[in-house]
Amino acid sequence: MLLLPFEMSLLLLLALPLLFSYANSKLDSEAEALLRWKSTFGDDSGPSSCLKSWSKHISPCNWTGVACGTTVPHGRGLGDGGDAVPVVASISLPMCNLSGRLDGLDLVALPRLAHLDLNDNNLSGPIPPSIGTLGELTLLDLSSNSLSGPIPPSIVPPSLGNLTLLDFIGLSFNNLSGYIPHELGMLHSIIGSIPGSFGNLTRLELLDLSDNQIRGSIPSTFWNLKSLKKLVLASNQINGLLPSEIGFLVNLTHLDLSTNQFTGSIPPQIGQCRHLLQLRISDNLLTGPIPQDLGECTGLYDLDFSRNNLSGTIPITFAQLYQLHNLNLSYNSLGGRFGGTSLPSALVSLDHNIDICGDQRYGLTPCESSGLGGKNEGKRHNKRLILALLLAFGLFCFICLAIGNLALFCWRRKLAKCRTKSKPGDMFSIWNFNGKIAFQDILDATENFDEKYCIGSGGHGSVFRAEVRGSVFAVKLLHSMEDYTDEGTFNAEIDVLTKIRHRCIVKLYGYCSHSQCRFLVYDLMERGSLASILHEEQLARELDWPKRIAIVRDVAHALSYLHHDCDEPIIHRDIKSNNILLDRDFRGYVSDFGMARKLKHIYSSSSTIFAGTCGYMAPELSSTMVLTEKCDVYSFGVVVMEVVMGKHPGDLLLPFFCQTQQHTKLKDILDQRVVEPTSNEEKDVILLVLVAFGCLQICPKARPTMQQVCQALTDRSCPAAILKPLHEVTLQDLHDFCGTIQNI
């Protein structure tokens, strides 16, 4: 019995060297993996100076940004305290200027890693699928890097159930693309920036996926996340409607959906989110009124609905938002009275709307007096009664006419047309201005169209800058045109243009048809035309590749809307760089609809009017004189090449007619005034030229539709055969594969 303790002590002494050997080998293998990753960053004095202490002569537990924990070797009990061995448990290197690839880190060699924080660096490449092997990971922050590619589903393999301990994922401010993997919905305790299949994440409190390339609509299961407090999906390509179920997120304090492609109206149920402090839905395609229910969100301090197409009046319930510090409703179609708020006027932005009146401290025109109160109210009541009787009488008359003699009806229509032709009166109408701006106002603002107010001229007219009652407009004075000699035709064309509502099309406010002149009233674009910027050396340098790519996408979306989303397709007929206008943020807008026609009217017309600008017109117009939407597609292709080259493509269009081989390198035709595209931008530049070549096909049927062009530019879809370094791509490669645009 006395020998037993002695024997146990002897066994422990014999096992100690083996234990130390195991501990050292485990930590050494982890250190080797980290040192191999460090070697990809270059010299210590370079961008990875945070890693100076990383050396094989120092224990990794003492390295900067590395912390160790302990683990028990397999098969040993927790009671044997001496058996615990050190392992790397945390890597935290935020804001270290690390420039390299994340997939160079061998994560399989770090199985006990629980904390990985590499945010705000310059890491590139894809997120390695091996990250899904880190079963003890509780925090993963890779935000503010240059990571690309899709989010790997292996982060949460459903068969293994790894990463179920995660309580924070940060992936924002990267270049991630593709769809959000539904496997992240297997997680059960997430507070952070995550993608996911949202229905299962019922404890999620913060979701930030901003500044990525996420597309598609918000999944319906998202509205189950009733614990959500902060939702940031800004600067993506998310589309679809904002559903009424958004009111289910009653705990929301911050909601940012800006710079996406949401359509439809703002649901009134958003007023049920009464804890909201910040609400941003700017730069989308929203229409309709601003809901009065927002007045229930009395804690709001930041409200931004700018750059949409919202209409109606500003809700009077905004007067209840006593905490509001910033209100931005600019670039919409709002009108009516604005009652003001308690915040300083410097923090209110209402410019580029229709006709908002109110307090002059907000830069608004004072509203007209409401009259004598009760007496006027009684008069208004009588007027409403009379109007109701007139409507009832009108309905009765309509029924009588509908069942009357058809021949008599046709005769009266012909008589009305004859009277219109024989006695054309002066007409003036600026929609949405309630008649407040009259013909004389425009003449006074331009001093009878004095040349000093002229800011440009074209084939159909000259454009003047006019400041009327605090608002600045572009007034296009039309030349005498045979197209518009018939008053009825002119009115029909104007009716088409006033119904166009798209973010990438210059807004037409109204027109004047007068015995002295005819003009159109547009929104003024601050930077002028794309052609003028490309012709100016200094301005062209400011137009870098991301801006040029965005402009092409804007024009494509506008033409796709005209061809495919209007009640009746509309052909612009004069797409060129002079008719692409840019605002102060270099966003592109299609303008000059002086020659636009409804497609069915073109096909039904017995005579075709030759239209367009030399150098941009489709070749079939010179022989067939038949206008189709494919004529706009061809002109769009010329404009894209002009954006890429910095000048009109000229002779570069000849191979499309002669079918000759083109061995010129793509890099040799790019605009040399701007910096060469980065590796991330090269794919987009190749795609632009591929789309342009597809649009420039001689046969109209071989050209893609603008809907197909939009899809290709949105998906960034390129054939694998031409995805190679820019200096290796030839124009012939692009000629060979441009037909693939139609298959998207």
Side-chain angles (χ1 to χ4, degrees):
M1 295 294 292
L2 294 175
L3 294 175
L4 186 59
F6 173 76
E7 291 173 351
M8 290 180 64
S9 300
L10 182 60
L11 288 172
L12 287 173
L13 288 173
L14 293 173
L16 281 175
L18 294 175
L19 182 60
F20 291 143
S21 174
Y22 174 85
N24 290 334
S25 64
K26 180 66 177 172
L27 199 57
D28 287 346
S29 65
E30 294 180 333
E32 288 175 8
L34 293 173
L35 289 174
R36 283 195 302 272
W37 187 47
K38 175 194 174 183
S39 67
T40 65
F41 295 131
D43 187 14
D44 284 347
S45 61
S48 56
S49 57
C50 283
L51 309 183
K52 282 185 177 181
S53 63
W54 288 30
S55 168
K56 62 183 178 180
H57 303 298
I58 302 174
S59 169
C61 299
N62 296 324
W63 291 355
T64 301
V66 177
C68 290
T70 57
T71 187
V72 177
H74 182 68
R76 300 180 184 270
L78 293 173
D80 302 327
D83 288 351
V85 296
V87 291
V88 173
S90 172
I91 300 175
S92 181
L93 297 169
M95 295 182 289
C96 280
N97 273 330
L98 300 179
S99 297
R101 294 179 64 87
L102 178 61
D103 53 4
L105 176 58
D106 183 8
L107 295 169
V108 177
L110 305 167
R112 302 299 182 186
L113 195 63
H115 186 112
L116 181 59
D117 184 359
L118 300 174
N119 82 84
D120 207 357
N121 284 289
N122 296 313
L123 297 175
S124 59
I127 299 175
S130 58
I131 206 167
T133 64
L134 304 179
E136 297 186 9
L137 200 62
T138 61
L139 182 144
L140 174 63
D141 193 350
L142 303 177
S143 55
S144 300
N145 280 284
S146 299
L147 300 174
S148 58
I151 301 167
S154 61
I155 287 183
V156 188
S159 59
L160 300 179
N162 287 355
L163 305 194
T164 55
L165 299 179
L166 267 175
D167 59 21
F168 187 98
I169 303 179
L171 300 175
S172 60
F173 292 94
N174 279 288
N175 295 317
L176 300 174
S177 60
Y179 292 96
I180 301 171
H182 71 276
E183 287 87 352
L184 258 72
M186 301 293 293
L187 302 180
H188 300 294
S189 178
I190 299 298
I191 302 175
S193 307
I194 65 167
S197 168
F198 303 110
N200 296 327
L201 307 180
T202 54
R203 296 175 57 186
L204 184 65
E205 295 183 5
L206 185 153
L207 177 62
D208 185 347
L209 294 175
S210 57
D211 286 272
N212 281 291
Q213 299 178 36
I214 298 170
R215 55 185 179 270
S217 58
I218 296 178
S220 58
T221 55
F222 178 83
W223 314 113
N224 298 332
L225 306 183
K226 298 180 181 179
S227 299
L228 202 60
K229 294 182 179 179
K230 184 173 183 179
L231 172 61
V232 183
L233 300 177
S235 300
N236 280 288
Q237 300 170 26
I238 305 172
N239 55 31
L241 302 174
L242 290 178
S244 59
E245 288 81 2
I246 197 171
F248 293 168
L249 308 182
V250 294
N251 291 313
L252 272 182
T253 59
H254 295 74
L255 177 60
D256 190 348
L257 305 177
S258 55
T259 317
N260 278 288
Q261 299 170 16
F262 288 109
T263 56
S265 59
I266 301 172
Q269 290 80 2
I270 201 169
Q272 298 172 16
C273 306
R274 299 187 180 179
H275 298 294
L276 273 176
L277 303 177
Q278 182 186 70
L279 177 57
R280 296 180 177 178
I281 320 181
S282 62
D283 204 1
N284 278 280
L285 303 172
L286 298 174
T287 57
I290 299 174
Q292 296 278 351
D293 307 68
L294 277 174
E296 302 295 327
C297 305
T298 54
L300 267 175
Y301 69 84
D302 184 5
L303 179 60
D304 189 350
F305 287 164
S306 61
R307 294 187 181 277
N308 283 284
N309 194 30
L310 300 174
S311 57
T313 60
I314 300 174
I316 58 174
T317 55
F318 276 17
Q320 303 171 18
L321 304 180
Y322 302 112
Q323 305 298 322
L324 202 58
H325 282 63
N326 179 50
L327 175 63
N328 190 350
L329 302 177
S330 59
Y331 290 91
N332 279 288
S333 300
L334 298 170
R337 178 188 296 271
F338 176 58
T341 67
S342 58
L343 67 160
S345 60
L347 298 178
V348 175
S349 181
L350 303 173
D351 56 304
H352 289 82
N353 274 285
I354 300 300
D355 189 25
I356 302 177
C357 66
D359 197 326
Q360 288 182 312
R361 66 190 175 118
Y362 301 115
L364 301 174
T365 304
C367 298
E368 294 181 355
S369 175
S370 58
L372 299 176
K375 291 184 179 179
N376 286 350
E377 184 63 30
K379 290 180 180 179
R380 284 195 294 270
H381 176 73
N382 292 335
K383 287 181 180 178
R384 285 195 293 268
L385 182 61
I386 294 172
L387 180 60
L389 292 173
L390 288 174
L391 287 174
F393 179 72
L395 181 61
F396 173 75
C397 293
F398 175 78
I399 294 173
C400 292
L401 289 173
I403 61 176
N405 189 287
L406 184 61
L408 179 63
F409 176 73
C410 294
W411 177 79
R412 287 181 176 177
R413 284 184 63 188
K414 291 179 181 179
L415 180 62
K417 287 184 178 180
C418 293
R419 288 177 177 174
T420 302
K421 291 180 180 178
S422 62
K423 193 177 182 180
D426 296 338
M427 293 182 297
F428 183 82
S429 177
I430 296 185
W431 286 273
N432 303 317
F433 279 84
N434 301 321
K436 291 181 182 178
I437 298 179
F439 174 70
Q440 193 61 42
D441 292 330
I442 298 293
L443 293 184
D444 293 342
T446 59
E447 297 181 20
N448 291 324
F449 296 107
D450 192 285
E451 287 188 2
K452 68 182 179 182
Y453 294 99
C454 184
I455 58 177
S457 60
H460 310 301
S462 301
V463 181
F464 294 81
R465 186 182 189 277
E467 185 171 351
V468 180
R469 304 187 182 184
S471 298
V472 181
F473 303 98
V475 180
K476 183 172 183 179
L477 180 66
L478 298 177
H479 301 322
S480 177
M481 294 171 56
E482 293 182 1
D483 281 1
Y484 299 124
T485 54
D486 177 59
E487 200 74 42
T489 302
F490 178 76
N491 295 339
E493 293 296 325
I494 293 299
D495 183 59
V496 171
L497 299 182
T498 54
K499 292 176 181 177
I500 294 175
R501 285 290 182 267
H502 192 274
R503 185 180 68 185
C504 302
I505 295 177
V506 177
K507 185 183 295 185
L508 176 70
Y509 288 113
Y511 76 96
C512 169
S513 178
H514 193 272
S515 57
Q516 299 179 18
C517 60
R518 286 178 179 152
F519 58 77
L520 305 171
V521 183
Y522 290 101
D523 201 359
L524 182 68
M525 295 291 108
E526 293 88 340
R527 293 191 180 271
S529 71
L530 173 62
S532 64
I533 289 181
L534 290 176
H535 292 159
E536 288 286 340
E537 197 77 19
Q538 186 59 39
L539 293 175
R541 288 196 185 98
E542 292 183 41
L543 207 60
D544 56 20
W545 290 113
K547 292 188 180 75
R548 296 185 187 215
I549 293 164
I551 290 169
V552 170
R553 286 177 180 156
D554 289 339
V555 177
H557 282 296
L559 290 177
S560 178
Y561 168 81
L562 292 173
H563 292 178
H564 303 285
D565 297 330
C566 292
D567 293 336
E568 298 173 14
I570 297 172
I571 299 180
H572 186 284
R573 302 205 302 170
D574 197 18
I575 293 296
K576 57 183 178 180
S577 55
N578 267 320
N579 289 340
I580 309 301
L581 304 183
L582 306 181
D583 66 9
R584 69 175 67 144
D585 299 323
F586 289 98
R587 284 187 172 273
Y589 295 79
V590 174
S591 71
D592 201 343
F593 284 79
M595 303 178 70
R597 291 290 188 277
K598 287 184 178 180
L599 193 57
K600 78 169 189 178
H601 291 170
I602 293 173
Y603 288 149
S604 62
S605 175
S606 58
S607 61
T608 305
I609 302 171
F610 193 70
T613 302
C614 289
Y616 296 88
M617 286 187 299
E620 64 267 20
L621 280 178
S622 61
S623 55
T624 65
M625 297 288 286
V626 175
L627 278 166
T628 68
E629 70 273 15
K630 293 300 180 75
C631 298
D632 280 351
V633 174
Y634 183 89
S635 303
F636 172 77
V638 178
V639 171
V640 175
M641 291 303 299
E642 190 170 354
V643 170
V644 170
M645 300 173 64
K647 60 182 180 181
H648 189 278
D651 293 342
L652 201 63
L653 302 177
L654 291 178
F656 291 95
F657 295 87
C658 306
Q659 299 295 316
T660 56
Q661 294 284 317
Q662 281 195 301
H663 301 293
T664 307
K665 298 287 188 182
L666 173 57
K667 68 179 182 63
D668 296 333
I669 70 166
L670 301 184
D671 192 346
Q672 303 300 313
R673 295 173 294 181
V674 291
V675 180
E676 289 186 1
T678 64
S679 57
N680 287 332
E681 296 164 354
E682 283 186 359
K683 177 181 177 181
D684 289 317
V685 173
I686 293 172
L687 178 59
L688 287 190
V689 182
L690 182 70
V691 166
F693 279 18
C695 296
L696 292 171
Q697 295 300 301
I698 298 303
C699 176
K701 291 183 178 179
R703 299 170 199 155
T705 65
M706 288 311 302
Q707 210 167 43
Q708 291 169 331
V709 168
C710 281
Q711 189 66 43
L713 294 175
T714 300
D715 294 344
R716 303 177 71 209
S717 305
C718 273
I722 60 172
L723 286 180
K724 48 189 176 183
L726 191 65
H727 66 275
E728 297 180 12
V729 180
T730 66
L731 299 187
Q732 190 59 44
D733 293 334
L734 299 167
H735 272 288
D736 294 340
F737 288 98
C738 64
T740 60
I741 300 299
Q742 287 185 306
N743 300 324
I744 295 174

